[in-house]
Amino acid sequence: MGAPSARRRRILLVLVVGVGLGLRLAHWIWVRQEPFVALPVMDSLVYLERAREIVAGDWLGQGSSFLSPFYPYLVALLLPLSGGSLDAVFLVQIGAAGVGLWALFRTGEILEGPAVGFAGAGLAALCGPLVFHDVLLLKESLAASLTAVLLYALTREELDRRWWPWLGTGVVWGLVGLLRENAVLLLPILALLIWIRRKSWRGLGAALGGLLLGFSLVIAPFVLRSLALTGSPL
């Protein structure tokens, strides 16, 4: 059988993403009043308490961040949209998961063709742990979705010709790093990827510079906060 037509691919992609979103919405409706969702505990409670402090005006907080710094600020932005409840947070996480499914499809399609793209997106759409975390007040949901977007960003053809798409890729990488700090360790791998794609020192320098600039723009506010409160950039 030949590759599906563009129209058929769009229909199948809408179906896969729709199933993933529908499953997550159904799960959220089912558990939204249950413990651990309606009443966060452990790490979720720490995120919620810090978000409430930010909403109350304490933007800097005290000392080093116990958990990843970006997530409570995002929660703080979303809490007022649903009257202080967590509904807006979970809906944004579910929406981000839909974007992640699309990004996984595009990554697979670019690398190996539509069949691989649909396989990847379909498995993620039905993956129990992903569905579970998308309706918990934890960073793992957004980390998974943004990692999928980062994978797509790293496969675009524009990266072979221009430096500025690497700037956007660096921004996504920075967001992932603010959710999963060990994403910083991707730098040698990303530098190798740039060398493979650009095949020149000039191309490597321009692309790597754009990548690091995008990354730095995202993490700079949190580095400055840490310097101001603790004297350390970490």
Side-chain angles (χ1 to χ4, degrees):
M1 296 179 61
S5 65
R7 182 173 179 273
R8 185 181 176 190
R9 285 201 303 272
R10 287 194 296 269
I11 294 174
L12 289 174
L13 180 58
V14 170
L15 179 62
V16 170
V17 174
V19 168
L21 291 176
L23 184 59
R24 284 157 174 79
L25 286 170
H27 176 59
W28 171 61
I29 293 171
W30 186 266
V31 303
R32 64 192 297 261
Q33 299 300 329
E34 299 295 326
F36 303 105
V37 178
L39 300 172
V41 296
M42 299 178 67
D43 288 1
S44 298
L45 181 58
V46 175
Y47 284 130
L48 180 58
E49 290 177 342
R50 177 65 192 123
R52 286 171 173 168
E53 292 173 355
I54 296 170
V55 172
D58 183 11
W59 280 84
L60 287 180
Q62 303 295 324
S64 300
S65 297
F66 172 62
L67 298 172
S68 300
F70 171 66
Y71 189 65
Y73 285 92
L74 177 63
V75 174
L77 289 175
L78 297 173
L79 280 177
L81 299 180
S82 50
S85 77
L86 299 175
D87 290 348
V89 178
F90 295 141
L91 288 173
V92 166
Q93 290 183 175
I94 291 171
V99 175
L101 295 177
W102 173 85
L104 282 176
F105 165 75
R106 289 290 292 127
T107 301
E109 182 183 43
I110 291 171
L111 293 176
E112 296 292 342
V116 171
F118 284 123
L123 288 171
L126 302 176
C127 178
L130 293 180
V131 176
F132 176 73
H133 280 93
D134 285 336
V135 292
L136 290 179
L137 194 69
L138 292 171
K139 65 183 181 180
E140 279 72 19
S141 171
L142 287 176
S145 300
L146 283 172
T147 299
V149 174
L150 178 61
L151 288 173
Y152 167 63
L154 290 169
T155 58
R156 293 175 300 162
E157 292 183 359
E158 293 87 346
L159 298 178
D160 295 330
R161 300 187 296 271
R162 304 178 180 90
W163 72 270
W164 57 263
W166 288 100
L167 177 67
T169 302
V171 169
V172 179
W173 176 36
L175 291 173
V176 175
L178 289 174
L179 293 166
R180 299 292 306 182
E181 294 88 340
N182 52 9
V184 176
L185 301 177
L186 290 173
L187 179 58
I189 299 172
L190 295 176
L192 178 61
L193 176 63
I194 293 174
W195 174 257
I196 292 173
R197 299 190 68 152
R198 304 301 292 267
K199 295 183 175 63
S200 72
W201 290 110
R202 181 178 179 181
L204 173 65
L208 187 59
L211 181 75
L212 293 174
L213 177 60
F215 181 85
S216 300
L217 289 174
V218 173
I219 69 167
F222 299 94
V223 172
L224 293 175
R225 174 203 172 276
S226 184
L227 282 171
L229 295 179
T230 69
S232 169
L234 302 179

